[in-house]
Each structure stands twice: as structure tokens, then as C-alpha cells.
């Protein structure tokens, strides 16, 4: 059974940085796309960034130039480096792994940007 476990969230001041990690356990189809989505209160879940097995990345316009996604295929782990954080980045961040078969989700981790 595949599980995605997020870590690294928390409270940070505007302008600060956080690094999210998502470790996938179990047997996962490859190639795949691992990424991060977020959902703010009262809003729909949206894609933040994703990265395919062979390196292709996609970013939401709102995070381009501030967030960087990376992955370690040997460890089935994806990271999200978040810099210059803004209050509007406050949300629950969900790790996602999309394969040609199943689609997996983590339970989510809270990121709060506030002074």
C-alpha cells in the first residue's frame, strides 16, 4: 500500500522560507508525476508545482520565481522549497503522486504565513 507523508510545514513570517518534504512508501509505478497542491479556506484545491520522473516541471503562476520543486527518485521523495512567502500562501499543502495507474494523496500539512 502506497503512503505519502508530508513534513516541514508550520508558521512563518511574511518573507520567510519553508521547505516541505513528501516521502512515498510502498511500490509506485514509474514514470510518475509528483507534486504539491494547496487548499486555502473557502477556496478550491489548486496545483502549486509538479515534477515528472524525468524532470519536467510545472508551476502555478502565483509561485513562479519563489518556489522550487525537486525530487529524489531513489528515495521516492519530493521537496518544495518556498521562499519569499506571502500571507496568501497560507493553506493546507497536499502531496500528490500521479501514475498511469492509481493517483495518491498525502493527508496534508498546514503552512501559515503570518506576522
Amino acid at each position: 500500500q502506497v503512503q505519502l507523508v508530508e513534513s516541514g510545514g508550520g508558521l512563518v513570517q511574511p518573507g520567510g522560507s519553508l521547505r516541505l518534504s513528501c516521502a512515498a512508501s510502498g511500490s509506485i509505478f514509474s514514470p510518475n508525476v509528483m507534486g504539491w497542491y494547496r487548499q486555502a479556506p473557502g477556496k478550491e484545491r489548486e496545483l502549486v508545482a509538479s515534477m515528472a520522473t524525468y524532470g519536467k516541471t510545472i508551476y502555478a503562476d502565483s509561485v513562479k520565481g519563489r518556489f522550487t520543486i525537486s525530487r529524489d527518485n531513489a528515495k521516492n521523495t519530493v521537496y518544495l522549497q518556498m521562499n519569499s512567502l506571502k500571507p496568501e500562501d497560507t493553506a493546507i499543502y497536499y502531496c500528490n503522486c500521479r501514475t498511469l495507474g492509481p493517483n495518491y494523496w498525502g493527508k496534508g500539512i498546514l503552512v501559515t504565513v503570518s506576522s
Side-chain angles (χ1 to χ4, degrees):
Q1 185 176 358
V2 174
Q3 286 188 321
L4 303 181
V5 179
E6 302 102 336
S7 60
L11 173 65
V12 63
Q13 292 186 342
S17 298
L18 281 176
R19 188 190 193 213
L20 303 183
S21 299
C22 171
S25 61
S27 181
I28 299 177
F29 289 108
S30 183
N32 54 61
V33 178
M34 296 189 76
W36 295 91
Y37 288 71
R38 68 185 180 187
Q39 188 167 17
K43 295 188 176 181
E44 294 186 354
R45 190 175 298 189
E46 63 175 358
L47 173 68
V48 177
S50 67
M51 189 171 191
T53 301
Y54 302 117
K56 180 178 179 180
T57 59
I58 297 174
Y59 291 94
D61 287 343
S62 59
V63 307
K64 284 180 181 177
R66 300 189 298 122
F67 291 10
T68 302
I69 191 169
S70 60
R71 60 186 287 171
D72 184 333
N73 290 333
K75 296 181 179 179
N76 278 338
T77 300
V78 64
Y79 307 95
L80 186 68
Q81 178 67 43
M82 304 186 293
N83 299 328
S84 302
L85 282 160
K86 304 175 181 180
E88 51 263 43
D89 294 317
T90 295
I92 298 174
Y93 284 70
Y94 296 89
C95 180
N96 172 262
C97 181
R98 179 161 46 89
T99 75
L100 293 177
N103 189 20
Y104 304 102
W105 289 95
K107 292 182 178 180
I109 192 165
L110 180 62
V111 171
T112 303
V113 185
S114 175
S115 55

